[in-house]
Amino acid sequence: MYRFLLTPRWWGINLFVVLAIPFCVFMGTWQLGRFEDRVQSHEQAEKQPDPSTRAAKPLDELLPVDKVTSGRPAVATGTYADQFLVPGRELDDRQGFYVLSLLRMDSGKALPVVRGWLPGSASDARVPAAPGGEVTVTGDLQASENAHSDGVDARGGLPGGQVGMISAATLVNLVPYDVYDAWVTLPEAGAGATGGAMKPVPAAAPQGSGLDLKAFQNLGYTGEWFVFAGFVLFMWFRLVRREAEAVRDIAFGLVPEDEQDPSSPQDGSSSPDYDVASTPVR
């Protein structure tokens, strides 16, 4: 009855099933591993002390920024140069913008410093001026933003003096000097040093260190891949059963000749187990 499984058409179906099921299981296992990695990173991050409570270190000792150094207080000395506004940033459920000043250091490179946040639309008219002369700042270290960072505007087309992303790759095209691939946000004591109107911007946790939406997406994808594997197996059994029933019906003469599938056996040559003439009628 099941000799139809050896026909060319069924060889193709069987090959698809044999390849699809291991692929779905592999992808589901991989997504589950990604979820477990994020859970482990989250647990490790919770066991670590708050980075902002650790002793401040010179900037160069904390670079490059990673999950360990992100949020650590960094010390840098230099002179404030160019200033930019970063619109579309939310703080305390209010829309506003960051005040970003570039601290030009003795090395010639500049460190982006978020001096604070102001509500409303970006406007230079009410932005406190940066301190003049050489200053030493201590701020929480952050990695350069990317297109997936919260609040980033990667569309471009912003007015002059505004940037949508705090990134060395963006700022280096706007100033005639090199920019560190990192930035710092000043604590409350320094955010409004010259005016007191700005609010400090809290440091964000490094990407991939918490149970964010992506972690639960990985868990959801895990379930989807295993469901796909089960669906493929279910459909294969269903097709086999329907084909076997069709072969049996033809063997017993229950299907009119004009409705028989040309690809199905028409006589007892391919289904020797069934002899219509010798099969007793019950």
Side-chain angles (χ1 to χ4, degrees):
M1 181 188 302
Y2 293 99
R3 289 187 176 182
F4 62 84
L5 293 173
L6 300 178
T7 60
R9 179 169 70 94
W10 274 95
W11 268 110
I13 295 175
N14 294 337
L15 180 61
F16 171 78
V17 172
V18 168
L19 295 178
I21 292 178
F23 176 77
C24 291
V25 172
F26 168 78
M27 291 300 298
T29 304
W30 180 74
Q31 290 287 354
L32 181 60
R34 292 292 301 273
F35 173 75
E36 291 176 344
D37 289 343
R38 292 180 182 275
V39 171
Q40 185 177 7
S41 298
H42 175 67
E43 292 176 348
Q44 291 177 349
E46 287 188 332
K47 293 178 182 178
Q48 296 292 331
D50 186 354
S52 62
T53 63
R54 304 181 68 177
K57 286 189 175 183
L59 174 67
D60 292 334
E61 295 184 15
L62 299 176
L63 297 178
V65 185
D66 54 24
K67 292 181 180 180
V68 176
T69 61
S70 180
R72 288 281 302 273
V75 179
T77 300
T79 304
Y80 281 117
D82 296 271
Q83 179 167 283
F84 299 92
L85 304 182
V86 188
R89 299 306 175 102
E90 187 175 299
L91 185 65
D92 298 333
D93 297 328
R94 298 177 63 191
Q95 284 293 328
F97 59 93
Y98 292 168
V99 178
L100 177 68
S101 300
L102 299 185
L103 185 69
R104 192 82 181 272
M105 302 173 65
D106 292 338
S107 62
K109 297 180 68 173
L111 173 66
V113 178
V114 173
R115 296 194 296 119
W117 173 92
L118 287 171
S121 59
S123 172
D124 280 315
R126 51 194 182 91
V127 176
E134 187 176 77
V135 296
T136 298
V137 299
T138 301
D140 296 333
L141 189 63
Q142 300 279 266
S144 290
E145 295 180 333
N146 55 58
H148 302 290
S149 301
D150 293 338
V152 163
D153 183 357
R155 296 173 299 176
L158 294 174
Q162 297 185 20
V163 293
M165 182 188 308
I166 307 175
S167 168
T170 300
L171 294 169
V172 75
N173 297 317
L174 303 176
V175 294
Y177 41 82
D178 292 335
V179 179
Y180 280 99
D181 189 20
W183 57 284
V184 298
T185 175
L186 298 186
E188 185 174 0
T194 60
M198 295 186 291
K199 291 186 177 181
V201 176
Q207 291 186 348
S209 62
L211 293 179
D212 53 9
L213 179 60
K214 291 183 179 180
F216 292 101
Q217 285 179 339
N218 292 136
L219 186 60
Y221 294 151
T222 298
E224 287 181 1
W225 281 112
F226 286 123
V227 169
F228 290 158
F231 179 75
V232 170
L233 190 61
F234 167 77
M235 290 303 299
W236 183 82
F237 276 111
R238 183 178 176 86
L239 290 174
V240 169
R241 181 179 178 181
R242 291 183 61 183
E243 191 84 2
E245 290 175 349
V247 171
R248 183 190 60 189
D249 291 345
I250 292 174
F252 281 100
L254 300 178
V255 179
E257 184 176 352
D258 57 350
E259 296 182 8
Q260 293 182 10
D261 185 350
S263 62
S264 301
Q266 301 291 326
D267 52 34
S269 60
S270 60
S271 300
D273 296 336
Y274 295 92
D275 187 347
V276 177
S278 61
T279 302
V281 178
R282 298 181 181 178

Short mmCIF file of all heavy atoms in Angstrom, two decimals, residues 1 243-257 260 264-268 271-282:
data_model
loop_
_atom_site.label_atom_id
_atom_site.label_comp_id
_atom_site.label_asym_id
_atom_site.label_seq_id
_atom_site.Cartn_x
_atom_site.Cartn_y
_atom_site.Cartn_z
N MET A 1 0.82 -1.21 0.00
CA MET A 1 0.00 0.00 0.00
C MET A 1 0.86 1.26 0.00
O MET A 1 0.48 2.28 -0.55
CB MET A 1 -0.94 0.00 1.21
CG MET A 1 -1.85 1.23 1.28
SD MET A 1 -2.77 1.32 2.82
CE MET A 1 -3.67 -0.22 2.80
N GLU A 243 -3.03 9.65 0.89
CA GLU A 243 -2.58 8.89 -0.27
C GLU A 243 -2.84 7.40 -0.07
O GLU A 243 -3.27 6.70 -0.99
CB GLU A 243 -1.09 9.13 -0.50
CG GLU A 243 -0.56 8.61 -1.83
CD GLU A 243 -0.78 9.58 -2.97
OE1 GLU A 243 -1.32 10.68 -2.73
OE2 GLU A 243 -0.41 9.24 -4.10
N ALA A 244 -2.58 6.90 1.14
CA ALA A 244 -2.82 5.48 1.41
C ALA A 244 -4.32 5.15 1.30
O ALA A 244 -4.70 4.09 0.78
CB ALA A 244 -2.30 5.13 2.80
N GLU A 245 -5.17 6.04 1.77
CA GLU A 245 -6.60 5.81 1.66
C GLU A 245 -7.05 5.81 0.20
O GLU A 245 -7.92 5.01 -0.20
CB GLU A 245 -7.36 6.89 2.44
CG GLU A 245 -7.22 6.77 3.95
CD GLU A 245 -7.89 7.92 4.68
OE1 GLU A 245 -8.28 8.90 4.01
OE2 GLU A 245 -8.03 7.84 5.92
N ALA A 246 -6.44 6.68 -0.61
CA ALA A 246 -6.79 6.72 -2.03
C ALA A 246 -6.38 5.42 -2.72
O ALA A 246 -7.13 4.87 -3.55
CB ALA A 246 -6.12 7.92 -2.69
N VAL A 247 -5.18 4.93 -2.41
CA VAL A 247 -4.72 3.67 -2.99
C VAL A 247 -5.64 2.52 -2.60
O VAL A 247 -6.00 1.66 -3.41
CB VAL A 247 -3.27 3.39 -2.56
CG1 VAL A 247 -2.84 1.98 -2.98
CG2 VAL A 247 -2.33 4.42 -3.16
N ARG A 248 -6.06 2.49 -1.34
CA ARG A 248 -6.95 1.44 -0.87
C ARG A 248 -8.31 1.49 -1.56
O ARG A 248 -8.86 0.47 -1.97
CB ARG A 248 -7.13 1.56 0.64
CG ARG A 248 -7.99 0.46 1.26
CD ARG A 248 -8.33 0.80 2.69
NE ARG A 248 -9.07 2.06 2.75
CZ ARG A 248 -9.34 2.70 3.89
NH1 ARG A 248 -8.93 2.21 5.05
NH2 ARG A 248 -10.02 3.83 3.87
N ASP A 249 -8.83 2.73 -1.70
CA ASP A 249 -10.14 2.87 -2.36
C ASP A 249 -10.08 2.41 -3.80
O ASP A 249 -11.02 1.79 -4.32
CB ASP A 249 -10.61 4.32 -2.28
CG ASP A 249 -10.95 4.74 -0.86
OD1 ASP A 249 -11.11 3.85 -0.01
OD2 ASP A 249 -11.04 5.96 -0.61
N ILE A 250 -8.99 2.72 -4.48
CA ILE A 250 -8.84 2.30 -5.87
C ILE A 250 -8.75 0.78 -5.94
O ILE A 250 -9.33 0.13 -6.81
CB ILE A 250 -7.60 2.96 -6.51
CG1 ILE A 250 -7.83 4.47 -6.66
CG2 ILE A 250 -7.28 2.33 -7.85
CD1 ILE A 250 -6.61 5.22 -7.14
N ALA A 251 -8.01 0.17 -5.01
CA ALA A 251 -7.85 -1.27 -5.01
C ALA A 251 -9.18 -1.99 -4.79
O ALA A 251 -9.41 -3.07 -5.35
CB ALA A 251 -6.85 -1.68 -3.92
N PHE A 252 -10.07 -1.40 -4.03
CA PHE A 252 -11.38 -2.01 -3.77
C PHE A 252 -12.44 -1.57 -4.78
O PHE A 252 -13.59 -1.92 -4.64
CB PHE A 252 -11.86 -1.66 -2.36
CG PHE A 252 -11.23 -2.50 -1.29
CD1 PHE A 252 -10.18 -2.00 -0.53
CD2 PHE A 252 -11.69 -3.79 -1.04
CE1 PHE A 252 -9.60 -2.77 0.46
CE2 PHE A 252 -11.11 -4.56 -0.05
CZ PHE A 252 -10.05 -4.06 0.70
N GLY A 253 -12.01 -0.75 -5.74
CA GLY A 253 -12.96 -0.31 -6.76
C GLY A 253 -13.96 0.69 -6.26
O GLY A 253 -15.05 0.80 -6.83
N LEU A 254 -13.61 1.42 -5.23
CA LEU A 254 -14.55 2.39 -4.66
C LEU A 254 -14.50 3.74 -5.36
O LEU A 254 -15.32 4.61 -5.09
CB LEU A 254 -14.26 2.58 -3.16
CG LEU A 254 -14.37 1.32 -2.31
CD1 LEU A 254 -14.00 1.63 -0.86
CD2 LEU A 254 -15.77 0.73 -2.40
N VAL A 255 -13.52 3.94 -6.24
CA VAL A 255 -13.36 5.20 -6.97
C VAL A 255 -13.64 4.94 -8.43
O VAL A 255 -13.03 4.05 -9.03
CB VAL A 255 -11.94 5.76 -6.79
CG1 VAL A 255 -11.77 7.05 -7.58
CG2 VAL A 255 -11.64 5.98 -5.32
N PRO A 256 -14.58 5.68 -9.05
CA PRO A 256 -14.86 5.50 -10.47
C PRO A 256 -13.59 5.69 -11.30
O PRO A 256 -12.70 6.45 -10.93
CB PRO A 256 -15.91 6.56 -10.78
CG PRO A 256 -16.54 6.87 -9.46
CD PRO A 256 -15.46 6.68 -8.44
N GLU A 257 -13.55 5.00 -12.42
CA GLU A 257 -12.34 5.03 -13.25
C GLU A 257 -12.00 6.43 -13.73
O GLU A 257 -10.85 6.82 -13.80
CB GLU A 257 -12.52 4.10 -14.45
CG GLU A 257 -11.28 3.98 -15.33
CD GLU A 257 -11.47 2.98 -16.45
OE1 GLU A 257 -12.50 2.28 -16.46
OE2 GLU A 257 -10.59 2.92 -17.31
N GLN A 260 -10.05 8.51 -11.06
CA GLN A 260 -8.80 8.02 -10.54
C GLN A 260 -7.65 8.93 -10.96
O GLN A 260 -7.64 9.47 -12.07
CB GLN A 260 -8.53 6.59 -11.04
CG GLN A 260 -9.51 5.57 -10.49
CD GLN A 260 -9.18 4.17 -10.97
OE1 GLN A 260 -8.13 3.97 -11.55
NE2 GLN A 260 -10.08 3.22 -10.72
N SER A 264 -1.78 7.33 -9.84
CA SER A 264 -2.02 6.27 -8.89
C SER A 264 -2.10 4.94 -9.62
O SER A 264 -2.42 4.87 -10.81
CB SER A 264 -3.32 6.51 -8.12
OG SER A 264 -3.26 7.75 -7.45
N PRO A 265 -1.82 3.84 -8.93
CA PRO A 265 -1.87 2.53 -9.58
C PRO A 265 -3.28 2.21 -10.04
O PRO A 265 -4.25 2.42 -9.32
CB PRO A 265 -1.39 1.58 -8.47
CG PRO A 265 -1.64 2.31 -7.19
CD PRO A 265 -1.44 3.75 -7.51
N GLN A 266 -3.40 1.70 -11.28
CA GLN A 266 -4.69 1.38 -11.87
C GLN A 266 -5.01 -0.10 -11.82
O GLN A 266 -6.12 -0.51 -12.09
CB GLN A 266 -4.73 1.85 -13.34
CG GLN A 266 -4.49 3.35 -13.49
CD GLN A 266 -5.64 4.15 -12.94
OE1 GLN A 266 -6.78 3.74 -13.04
NE2 GLN A 266 -5.34 5.29 -12.34
N ASP A 267 -4.01 -0.93 -11.55
CA ASP A 267 -4.24 -2.37 -11.51
C ASP A 267 -3.46 -2.94 -10.34
O ASP A 267 -2.85 -2.24 -9.57
CB ASP A 267 -3.83 -3.04 -12.83
CG ASP A 267 -2.42 -2.66 -13.23
OD1 ASP A 267 -1.58 -2.47 -12.31
OD2 ASP A 267 -2.14 -2.55 -14.43
N GLY A 268 -3.47 -4.21 -10.24
CA GLY A 268 -2.82 -4.87 -9.13
C GLY A 268 -1.33 -4.98 -9.27
O GLY A 268 -0.66 -5.48 -8.38
N SER A 271 0.14 -2.79 -6.63
CA SER A 271 -0.42 -3.05 -5.30
C SER A 271 -0.80 -4.52 -5.20
O SER A 271 -1.99 -4.88 -5.20
CB SER A 271 -1.65 -2.16 -5.05
OG SER A 271 -1.30 -0.81 -5.13
N PRO A 272 0.20 -5.40 -5.16
CA PRO A 272 -0.08 -6.84 -5.16
C PRO A 272 -0.82 -7.29 -3.92
O PRO A 272 -1.36 -8.39 -3.90
CB PRO A 272 1.33 -7.45 -5.21
CG PRO A 272 2.22 -6.41 -4.62
CD PRO A 272 1.63 -5.13 -5.03
N ASP A 273 -0.85 -6.51 -2.89
CA ASP A 273 -1.52 -6.93 -1.67
C ASP A 273 -3.04 -6.95 -1.83
O ASP A 273 -3.75 -7.48 -0.98
CB ASP A 273 -1.14 -6.00 -0.51
CG ASP A 273 0.33 -6.11 -0.20
OD1 ASP A 273 0.92 -7.15 -0.53
OD2 ASP A 273 0.88 -5.13 0.36
N TYR A 274 -3.51 -6.33 -2.90
CA TYR A 274 -4.96 -6.22 -3.10
C TYR A 274 -5.33 -6.83 -4.44
O TYR A 274 -4.86 -6.34 -5.49
CB TYR A 274 -5.44 -4.76 -3.03
CG TYR A 274 -5.25 -4.14 -1.68
CD1 TYR A 274 -4.09 -3.44 -1.40
CD2 TYR A 274 -6.23 -4.28 -0.69
CE1 TYR A 274 -3.89 -2.90 -0.14
CE2 TYR A 274 -6.04 -3.73 0.56
CZ TYR A 274 -4.88 -3.05 0.82
OH TYR A 274 -4.70 -2.50 2.05
N ASP A 275 -6.13 -7.86 -4.44
CA ASP A 275 -6.64 -8.49 -5.66
C ASP A 275 -8.14 -8.34 -5.64
O ASP A 275 -8.84 -9.00 -4.87
CB ASP A 275 -6.24 -9.97 -5.70
CG ASP A 275 -6.60 -10.62 -7.04
OD1 ASP A 275 -7.37 -9.99 -7.79
OD2 ASP A 275 -6.10 -11.75 -7.29
N VAL A 276 -8.62 -7.43 -6.50
CA VAL A 276 -10.05 -7.11 -6.46
C VAL A 276 -10.90 -8.34 -6.75
O VAL A 276 -11.94 -8.58 -6.12
CB VAL A 276 -10.37 -5.99 -7.48
CG1 VAL A 276 -11.86 -5.69 -7.51
CG2 VAL A 276 -9.56 -4.75 -7.12
N ALA A 277 -10.43 -9.15 -7.71
CA ALA A 277 -11.24 -10.31 -8.10
C ALA A 277 -11.34 -11.34 -7.00
O ALA A 277 -12.35 -12.03 -6.86
CB ALA A 277 -10.64 -10.94 -9.38
N SER A 278 -10.23 -11.48 -6.22
CA SER A 278 -10.21 -12.51 -5.19
C SER A 278 -10.58 -12.01 -3.82
O SER A 278 -10.63 -12.79 -2.88
CB SER A 278 -8.81 -13.15 -5.13
OG SER A 278 -7.86 -12.16 -4.79
N THR A 279 -10.81 -10.72 -3.70
CA THR A 279 -11.15 -10.17 -2.40
C THR A 279 -12.60 -10.44 -2.08
O THR A 279 -13.49 -10.06 -2.86
CB THR A 279 -10.90 -8.65 -2.38
OG1 THR A 279 -9.54 -8.40 -2.71
CG2 THR A 279 -11.23 -8.07 -1.00
N PRO A 280 -12.88 -11.15 -1.02
CA PRO A 280 -14.28 -11.45 -0.68
C PRO A 280 -15.06 -10.20 -0.34
O PRO A 280 -14.50 -9.28 0.25
CB PRO A 280 -14.17 -12.39 0.52
CG PRO A 280 -12.86 -12.04 1.13
CD PRO A 280 -11.96 -11.67 0.00
N VAL A 281 -16.29 -10.19 -0.73
CA VAL A 281 -17.17 -9.06 -0.42
C VAL A 281 -17.78 -9.32 0.95
O VAL A 281 -18.34 -10.37 1.20
CB VAL A 281 -18.28 -8.90 -1.47
CG1 VAL A 281 -19.20 -7.75 -1.09
CG2 VAL A 281 -17.68 -8.71 -2.84
N ARG A 282 -17.62 -8.31 1.82
CA ARG A 282 -18.15 -8.44 3.17
C ARG A 282 -19.44 -7.66 3.34
O ARG A 282 -19.56 -6.59 2.78
CB ARG A 282 -17.11 -7.94 4.19
CG ARG A 282 -15.84 -8.76 4.16
CD ARG A 282 -14.85 -8.23 5.19
NE ARG A 282 -13.60 -8.99 5.15
CZ ARG A 282 -12.55 -8.73 5.93
NH1 ARG A 282 -12.62 -7.75 6.79
NH2 ARG A 282 -11.46 -9.45 5.83
#
